[in-house]
């Protein structure tokens, strides 16, 4: 086996959980094409089988799976046990949430403690939850940005791994600010993940 092949097989195995568009997932997959990237994406998993991001991942040659949460009704943990089984079957060592729009139960969070990360479109601890860009504009903030953090039981509360800042410009709409932050997300997320898996 060549040195290059050996390095490839040693890369950390990452699964990405999405619910929709998948632009951050795409950034993670694209970054993994670099020969010196310390991770590979082994599965893109969605609770929405029709998520746009699943088609993007499949087109990029990454294994995909949809596990619809709806048949599980209110039994969130049963849905997560199905997700967890798929993650383990894929050999995942880390999980990156990328626009995964369901609150996780403590069971899944604990199962992946220290190995599950999320990207959030605000400078946490400011603006956990939804509608972050409108809230930053309405507060008159001069800066906005994004945060990569370890996932813990509290929503958007885990230890911060890294942040990236962008200016809030005069006359910004939430959409304009979201687009500026999203560009920063696409740089921040692969870099933060690479650092985490590299220890
Ligand atoms: C991103 O803004 C991310 O920070 C948030 O959800 C959005 C997902 O967008 N958690 P995409 O699906 O990665 O395009």
């Amino acid at each position: 086996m060549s040195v290059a092949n050996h390095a490839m097989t040693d890369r950390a195995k990452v699964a990405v959980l999405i619910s929709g568009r998948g632009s951050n997932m795409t950034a993670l997959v694209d970054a993994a094409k670099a020969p010196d990237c310390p991770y590979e994406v082994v599965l893109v998993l969605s609770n929405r089988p029709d998520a746009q991001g699943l088609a993007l991942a499949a087109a990029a040659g990454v294994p995909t799976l949809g596990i619809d949460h709806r048949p599980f009704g209110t039994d969130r943990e049963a849905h997560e046990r199905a997700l967890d089984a798929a993650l383990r079957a894929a050999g995942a060592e880390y999980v990156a949430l990328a626009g995964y729009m369901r609150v996780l139960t403590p069971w899944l969070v604990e199962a992946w403690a220290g190995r599950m990360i999320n990207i959030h479109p605000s400078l946490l601890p400011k603006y956990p939850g939804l509608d972050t860009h409108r809230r930053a504009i309405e507060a008159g903030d001069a800066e906005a940005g994004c945060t990569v953090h370890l996932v813990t039981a509290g929503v958007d509360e885990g230890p911060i791994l890294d942040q990236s800042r962008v200016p809030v410009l005069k006359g910004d709409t939430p959409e304009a600010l979201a687009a500026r932050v999203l560009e920063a997300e696409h740089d921040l997320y692969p870099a933060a993940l690479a650092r985490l898996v590299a220890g």
Side-chain angles (χ1 to χ4, degrees), residues 21-25 98-99 119-121 182 185:
R21 181 175 60 179
S23 72
N24 278 289
M25 175 278 299
I119 186 156
H120 182 75
L182 193 64
E185 292 181 42

Side-chain angles (χ1 to χ4, degrees), residues 14-18 25 28-29 41 43-46 94-98:
V14 173
V16 186
L17 251 64
I18 65 168
M25 175 278 299
L28 295 175
V29 167
V41 178
L43 178 67
V44 174
L45 182 54
S46 178
Y94 294 87
V95 177
L97 306 182

Side-chain angles (χ1 to χ4, degrees), residues 9 85 111 125 128 136 140 198-199:
T9 56

Side-chain angles (χ1 to χ4, degrees), residues 58-84:
V62 178
T64 63
L65 189 61
I67 302 181
D68 197 337
H69 61 276
R70 287 170 295 191
F72 295 87
T74 56
D75 193 348
R76 304 174 80 84
E77 200 177 299
H79 176 244
E80 290 180 355
R81 286 189 186 276
L83 295 180
D84 186 66

Side-chain angles (χ1 to χ4, degrees), residues 24 28 94-100 102-104 109 112-129 132 145-164 185 188-193 195-196:
N24 278 289
L28 295 175
Y94 294 87
V95 177
L97 306 182
Y100 186 70
R102 296 193 42 96
V103 174
L104 301 177
V109 170
W112 290 89
R115 296 180 299 139
M116 182 184 273
I117 63 175
N118 181 44
I119 186 156
H120 182 75
S122 79
L123 295 172
L124 291 172
K126 274 191 164 182
Y127 316 128
T132 54
C146 48
T147 303
V148 175
H149 64 94
L150 287 170
V151 174
T152 56
V155 175
D156 302 327
E157 272 182 16
I160 290 172
L161 298 178
D162 206 355
Q163 292 187 312
S164 178
E185 292 181 42
L188 181 72
Y189 209 6
L193 176 59
R195 272 195 300 276
L196 176 71

